[in-house]
Amino acid sequence: MSTFTSVVCAGFLGLCSVSSAAWAQGISGDVGAGLSYQPHDPTGSRYETRPVPYLDLDWGDVSLSTDDGLTWSALNTHGLTAGPYINYLSGRTSNGALQGLRNVSDMAEVGGFVQYAPADFWRVYAQLGQAVGGGHSQSGTLGKLGGELGYPLGGGIIGSTGLVAHFADARQANTFFGVDNNEAAATGFRPYNAGGGLQNVTLSQSFAFPLAPHWALLTSASWVHLVGSVANSSIVRQAGEVNQGQVQTAISYTFD
């Protein structure tokens, strides 16, 4: 079993064991499947279409979602929740324009979150975590600070707007945006050492269209703007994009 798989399994079992009462309450939420058209890697070197699951499930204080991963609300009072989480971090296959750069392993992100959501239709949150299970020098610190607002649009259609700032330390930034001397000689990219701090700002707009009882069509579009040190990476300047987009669509089933 790989280190990444071991970490994910251990985190899943750990979170579930501390909230066994949640299972007795039953599962509620949404589950589905769809497609995403998105950058191949954070530098935006090319785009690709990927099948993606859609999950937004709750078992009492334990939640599993496509965006936030597996979370346990150890603190849950008056709209304020906080606790640990584990999430999936996609790696990078260095082919095409990135041929000659090192591959980046799939990893897990383990950390803690705090969220304030006094009503179902809006929330603000922060996360701080550590990437684990990667290769040498590929496991750094990551953070998020964001907010989301939902609203009805009539005819059962629900809209949602989100804004998220992503942060990373220098080690994690260099995982995708750095170029060492050996890679520079193999690729033609200028040597580059990325620094830590704010990496990107992501603005997203989503809609849920009812199709039938319990069934909905979900759509989402996101704009990602790289900033600071990562925006100046030689990979981004020579082969990628500072401004990137992503669109997703899925069919979901809601159950209580």
Side-chain angles (χ1 to χ4, degrees), residues 16-26 59-61:
C16 290
S17 66
V18 297
S19 189
S20 58
W23 296 95
Q25 298 177 21
W59 306 277
D61 292 330

Side-chain angles (χ1 to χ4, degrees), residues 11-252:
F12 181 84
L13 293 173
L15 287 180
C16 290
S17 66
V18 297
S19 189
S20 58
W23 296 95
Q25 298 177 21
I27 302 173
S28 63
D30 305 283
V31 62
L35 294 172
S36 176
Y37 181 69
Q38 64 188 62
H40 168 73
D41 68 286
T43 66
S45 61
R46 70 175 189 271
Y47 283 76
E48 60 189 14
T49 300
R50 298 180 184 178
V52 293
Y54 177 78
L55 299 168
D56 188 8
L57 302 173
D58 295 303
W59 306 277
D61 292 330
V62 176
S63 299
L64 177 64
S65 76
T66 305
D67 293 332
D68 298 328
L70 185 64
T71 62
W72 172 46
S73 298
L75 170 67
N76 190 346
T77 178
H78 303 294
L80 179 66
T81 56
Y85 73 90
I86 182 169
N87 207 350
Y88 167 75
L89 289 176
S90 179
R92 176 186 72 193
T93 301
S94 298
N95 52 20
L98 304 183
Q99 186 71 40
L101 295 175
R102 63 190 179 281
N103 290 329
V104 177
S105 307
D106 290 345
M107 292 178 275
E109 179 186 351
V110 180
F113 76 94
V114 59
Q115 173 177 286
Y116 181 61
D120 290 339
F121 58 87
W122 73 273
R123 65 171 181 150
V124 291
Y125 60 93
Q127 292 182 358
L128 182 64
Q130 176 76 25
V132 295
H136 178 65
S137 301
Q138 293 185 0
S139 300
T141 302
L142 305 97
K144 283 183 187 178
L145 181 62
E148 185 177 11
L149 175 66
Y151 38 85
L153 296 172
I157 302 172
I158 302 296
S160 177
T161 303
L163 181 65
V164 185
H166 293 83
F167 301 84
D169 66 2
R171 185 178 182 185
Q172 185 64 27
N174 275 299
T175 296
F176 289 99
F177 297 94
V179 181
D180 63 28
N181 291 330
N182 292 330
E183 291 172 319
T187 62
F189 292 123
R190 297 187 307 276
Y192 189 77
N193 186 39
L198 180 62
Q199 279 201 312
N200 73 66
V201 177
T202 300
L203 177 65
S204 61
Q205 179 64 55
S206 303
F207 298 99
F209 301 91
L211 298 177
H214 299 285
W215 291 94
L217 171 66
L218 309 176
T219 63
S220 177
S222 299
W223 171 72
V224 180
H225 178 64
L226 302 183
V227 298
S229 175
V230 301
N232 292 319
S233 166
S234 55
I235 306 175
V236 176
R237 294 299 184 184
Q238 294 175 240
E241 297 287 342
V242 171
N243 293 298
Q244 304 169 17
Q246 177 177 332
V247 292
Q248 295 180 328
T249 185
I251 300 293
S252 74

